[in-house]
């Protein structure tokens, strides 16, 4: 939408995502991403950490359940979404403003880790999901037998590394 502030944040989860349900039964997961800038100090010949940004984030519906079942404290993630400003009164009656990230997409950073992605079965048909290596599942997820990136008419994933296959193909044996 026009006029929204869209950002991408790379950082570590400070705790496991907290999954809750609204009074209407809608799942929501809340978590905090800590993003710390690093700069190289030429005089000391070493990397120095800057001041960390702690950004509260939220996801809704099936997405919330996928995040809560896949991501855990300490995982390095890449999240993109829209900044939202929320005003409220604290317990002392003071007016406060909070800036939060309403996440559109999130996944593990593969800079220092690997991940095994499994497609989550979803009744809403909205997007994939999955579990990422290192995360503990809170409940088993039903897996879809075909690979989410497979194209119609393509062969099994083993065909990519089959002998005599000099390059990848789109399933019609035409190299790209």
């Amino acid at each position: 939408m026009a006029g929204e502030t869209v950002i991408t944040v790379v950082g570590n989860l400070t705790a496991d995502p907290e999954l809750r349900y609204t009074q209407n039964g809608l799942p929501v997961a809340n978590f905090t991403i800590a993003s710390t800038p690093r700069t190289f100090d030429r005089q000391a010949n070493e990397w120095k950490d800057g001041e960390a940004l702690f950004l509260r984030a939220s996801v809704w519906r099936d997405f919330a359940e996928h995040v809560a079942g896949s991501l855990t404290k300490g995982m390095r993630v890449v999240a993109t979404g829209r900044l939202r400003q929320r005003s409220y009164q604290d317990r002392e009656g003071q007016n406060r403003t909070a800036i939060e990230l309403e996440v559109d997409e999130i996944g593990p950073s593969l800079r220092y880790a690997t991940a095994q992605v499994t497609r989550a079965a979803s009744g809403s048909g909205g997007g994939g999901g999955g579990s990422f290596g290192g995360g503990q599942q809170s409940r088993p997820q039903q897996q879809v037998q075909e690979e989410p990136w497979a194209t119609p008419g393509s062969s099994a994933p083993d065909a990519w590394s089959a002998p005599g296959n000099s390059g990848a193909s789109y399933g019609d044996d035409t190299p790209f």
Side-chain angles (χ1 to χ4, degrees), residues 32-106:
T32 301
I33 301 171
S35 181
T36 307
R38 298 194 82 195
T39 55
F40 190 74
D41 182 343
R42 292 178 190 231
Q43 291 178 332
N45 199 33
E46 65 184 10
W47 289 94
K48 303 264 183 172
D49 287 342
E51 192 167 334
L53 166 71
F54 293 91
L55 186 60
R56 289 293 296 164
S58 63
V59 293
W60 292 84
R61 297 180 177 76
D62 288 345
F63 192 13
E65 292 176 333
H66 297 166
V67 166
S70 302
L71 301 177
T72 58
K73 177 181 178 178
M75 281 186 164
R76 185 174 176 87
V77 297
V78 179
T80 185
R82 294 158 283 139
L83 285 180
R84 296 284 187 220
Q85 180 173 306
R86 184 174 54 88
S87 298
Y88 64 96
Q89 281 191 344
D90 64 13
R91 291 184 177 136
E92 289 80 36
Q94 298 290 326
N95 290 330
R96 301 286 183 187
T97 301
I99 305 291
E100 298 172 342
L101 180 65
E102 190 172 305
V103 176
D104 292 322
E105 298 286 339
I106 189 168

Side-chain angles (χ1 to χ4, degrees), residues 100-147:
E100 298 172 342
L101 180 65
E102 190 172 305
V103 176
D104 292 322
E105 298 286 339
I106 189 168
S109 169
L110 301 181
R111 173 166 275 189
Y112 306 113
T114 60
Q116 179 64 42
V117 179
T118 56
R119 186 173 181 165
S122 173
S124 65
S131 67
F132 304 102
Q136 294 183 351
Q137 295 291 329
S138 58
R139 65 189 186 332
Q141 293 188 3
Q142 183 179 2
Q143 291 185 12
V144 177
Q145 292 302 318
E146 71 181 51
E147 297 295 338

